[in-house]
């Protein structure tokens, strides 16, 4: 067990989280749905990175949604911040070592599929990893590192989430998410390439975390807030991404709350 897990275990005692939720850029309203039991700042945790991105807080939050025990990562780490993939995925390794069985991961993403609109919620049904420079499992020992990635995004979770969204009258789309390293946004040629490859949305996170979740055998639900028409516009800005995500955030928070309660 990693040093950071040992530290957190001591802090939370026998609170065994069942679900982990990663909060993406501007998607903090999920926090309003949690009955908080304990907060731990990333800064206090030995061997743990800190968030350096505007729109990302840096704390672990333990609490409950309905009768489910959850661990929330209020702020995530990105490869573009200069961290190794091993560091980027310490959140998920921590969750895995604490026995979390399901991961809900959220992000802000640009639309590559031109039928997606700004403000849409897209459930991730598969991904393409365009970050070749490093891998979260690089350096792991044993055969477990050759992890299967087929069917990582649980069909059952997608179906359940869709049912709830239907009931709440909130439309959701579904598609393939592509991870790039960032921090620059894509060129038009890159977006055209992605579009031809069948990619629906592009972002700078999530995929490393999902690889680590697969390594720990977790079930995964991935949710993107489409913050910009990457492939249909000539400019994207971080400020725009955050401002749209904040609007999306309330809807996603409501759906995640119901999803966890009913799971
Ligand atoms: N490209 C990459 N990452 C992003 C985008 C985008 O257009 N929007 C939000 N994150």
């Amino acid at each position: 067990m990693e040093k950071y897990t040992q530290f957190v275990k001591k802090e939370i005692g026998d609170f065994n989280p069942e679900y982990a939720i990663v909060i993406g850029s501007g998607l903090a309203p999920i926090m309003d749905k949690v009955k908080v039991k304990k907060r731990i700042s990333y800064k206090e945790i030995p061997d743990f990175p800190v968030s350096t991105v505007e729109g990302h807080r840096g704390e672990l939050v333990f609490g409950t949604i309905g009768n489910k025990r959850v661990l929330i990562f209020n702020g995530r780490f990105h490869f573009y911040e200069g961290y190794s993939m091993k560091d980027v995925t310490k959140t998920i390794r921590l969750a895995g070592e604490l026995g979390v069985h399901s991961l809900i991961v959220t992000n802000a993403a640009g639309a590559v599929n031109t039928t997606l609109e700004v403000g849409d919620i897209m459930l991730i049904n598969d991904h393409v990893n365009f970050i070749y420079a490093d891998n979260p499992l690089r350096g792991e020992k044993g055969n477990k590192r050759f992890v299967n990635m087929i069917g990582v995004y649980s069909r059952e979770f997608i179906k359940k989430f869709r049912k709830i969204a239907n009931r709440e009258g909130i439309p959701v789309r579904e598609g393939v998410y592509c991870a790039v390293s960032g921090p620059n946004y894509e060129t038009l040629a890159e977006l055209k390439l992605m579009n031809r490859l069948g990619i629906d949305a592009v972002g700078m996170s999530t995929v490393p975390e999902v690889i680590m979740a697969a390594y720990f055998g977790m079930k995964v639900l991935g949710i993107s807030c489409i913050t910009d028409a990457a492939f249909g516009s000539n400019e994207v800005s971080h400020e725009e991404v955050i401002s749209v995500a904040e609007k999306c955030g309330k809807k996603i928070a409501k759906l995640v709350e119901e999803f966890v309660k009913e799971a």
Side-chain angles (χ1 to χ4, degrees):
M1 195 182 285
E2 300 288 337
K3 217 159 107 184
Y4 49 83
T5 311
Q6 287 173 22
F7 173 87
V8 170
K9 246 185 170 335
K10 253 190 225 138
E11 293 286 312
I12 59 165
D14 61 0
F15 182 90
N16 298 314
E18 303 158 275
Y19 289 81
I21 304 174
V22 179
I23 295 189
S25 298
L27 298 172
I30 292 175
M31 284 308 305
D32 302 337
K33 308 296 185 188
V34 190
K35 209 166 138 208
V36 177
K37 187 165 183 280
K38 186 160 186 73
R39 293 171 187 269
I40 306 174
S41 166
Y42 291 165
K43 280 185 283 196
E44 292 174 44
I45 308 171
D47 223 8
F48 216 64
V50 292
S51 307
T52 67
V53 194
E54 208 181 305
H56 281 266
R57 296 276 296 274
E59 59 179 7
L60 295 184
V61 179
F62 290 90
T64 51
I65 297 179
N67 62 0
K68 306 293 191 322
R69 293 182 302 279
V70 299
L71 158 57
I72 303 201
F73 297 105
N74 195 6
R76 63 143 57 90
F77 313 117
H78 307 78
F79 190 57
Y80 66 73
E81 293 175 81
Y83 294 122
S84 69
M85 282 301 194
K86 195 172 171 162
D87 280 342
V88 165
T89 53
K90 278 180 175 174
T91 45
I92 311 304
R93 193 183 289 273
L94 169 67
E97 290 186 343
L98 292 175
V100 163
H101 58 63
S102 299
L103 174 70
I104 300 170
V105 61
T106 66
N107 62 49
V112 173
N113 176 335
T114 52
T115 72
L116 283 169
E117 286 175 24
V118 170
D120 276 355
I121 294 170
M122 186 191 90
L123 296 179
I124 303 173
N125 58 21
D126 210 344
H127 76 221
V128 172
N129 186 8
F130 271 178
I131 317 177
Y132 302 123
D134 192 5
N135 185 287
L137 299 177
R138 197 170 76 88
E140 283 303 311
K141 304 286 185 291
N143 286 351
K144 198 183 151 201
R145 69 185 134 177
F146 303 111
V147 64
N148 170 57
M149 294 299 293
I150 308 271
V152 152
Y153 297 91
S154 162
R155 247 357 276 179
E156 185 199 328
F157 276 6
I158 290 175
K159 259 172 73 182
K160 184 179 270 168
F161 194 92
R162 275 187 168 288
K163 215 168 123 191
I164 292 166
N166 243 336
R167 193 182 69 208
E168 299 291 329
I170 299 174
V172 291
R173 302 285 304 269
E174 209 178 296
V176 174
Y177 174 92
C178 174
V180 291
S181 72
N184 63 286
Y185 289 112
E186 297 68 44
T187 64
L188 197 52
E190 287 164 344
L191 292 165
K192 273 184 192 162
L193 175 76
M194 288 177 191
N195 182 270
R196 291 183 68 157
L197 291 178
I199 287 160
D200 297 296
V202 56
M204 303 174 194
S205 67
T206 302
V207 163
E209 293 152 348
V210 170
I211 293 171
M212 189 56 79
Y215 183 68
F216 278 94
M218 292 180 204
K219 283 173 79 173
V220 177
L221 175 71
I223 310 167
S224 291
C225 164
I226 302 299
T227 54
D228 53 276
F231 188 43
S233 69
N234 40 26
E235 242 175 71
V236 187
S237 74
H238 187 62
E239 289 71 24
E240 180 193 353
V241 165
I242 299 290
S243 126
V244 176
E246 278 168 359
K247 282 180 210 144
C248 237
K250 277 212 170 90
K251 287 190 286 183
I252 291 179
K254 176 73 192 156
L255 297 178
V256 167
E257 178 189 26
E258 295 301 318
F259 179 86
V260 173
K261 270 187 181 164
E262 292 173 30

